[in-house]
């Protein structure tokens, strides 16, 4: 089930990502909010598999738990690790260059 890009909790900010768990336990980027920190960074794409948040493996982790790891005070830094399926599908994946992004509030 997709995660909505919900409004941040009071005093908390995010990256502007919508994530979902697929049938294999992978956490995929469903959508990037236009103008959000992740979209502005220009590294992640729809369909990328989020593999780690601040070096913590997120495979099989519920989206709500991942959201808790991503959310933080505006201006704090979160590091994401991701892989991208190549033409061969999951059997042929490539690491996405490191993403180090500040979280920001969105109105």
């Amino acid at each position: 089930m997709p995660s909505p890009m919900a409004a941040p909790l009071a005093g908390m900010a995010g990256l502007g990502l919508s994530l979902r768990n697929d049938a294999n336990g992978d956490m995929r980027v469903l959508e990037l909010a236009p103008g959000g920190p992740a979209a502005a960074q220009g590294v992640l794409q729809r369909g990328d598999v989020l593999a780690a948040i601040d070096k913590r493996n997120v495979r099989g982790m519920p989206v709500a738990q991942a959201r808790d790891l991503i959310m933080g005070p505006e201006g704090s830094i979160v590091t994401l690790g991701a892989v991208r399926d190549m033409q061969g599908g999951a059997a042929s994946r490539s690491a996405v260059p490191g993403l180090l992004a500040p979280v920001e509030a969105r109105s």
Side-chain angles (χ1 to χ4, degrees):
M1 173 173 216
S3 73
M5 284 186 281
L9 303 171
M12 302 296 275
L15 296 175
L17 291 174
S18 180
L19 304 169
R20 70 171 168 81
N21 294 105
D22 68 16
N24 297 319
D26 289 331
M27 187 173 301
R28 291 197 178 265
V29 176
L30 186 63
E31 185 178 353
L32 292 101
Q41 190 86 20
V43 176
L44 286 178
Q45 298 176 5
R46 285 185 70 186
D48 284 348
V49 175
L50 192 61
I53 300 171
D54 289 333
K55 299 183 180 180
R56 182 173 175 181
N57 183 340
V58 298
R59 190 163 203 283
M61 179 183 288
V63 169
Q65 186 177 352
R67 181 176 188 258
D68 290 345
L69 294 175
I70 291 170
M71 300 294 288
E74 185 170 2
S76 60
I77 302 293
V78 62
T79 304
L80 303 180
V83 293
R84 183 168 298 143
D85 291 342
M86 305 312 282
Q87 287 186 347
S92 177
R93 287 188 167 163
S94 174
V96 175
L99 175 67
L100 182 68
V103 297
E104 71 177 30
R106 295 191 43 86
S107 50

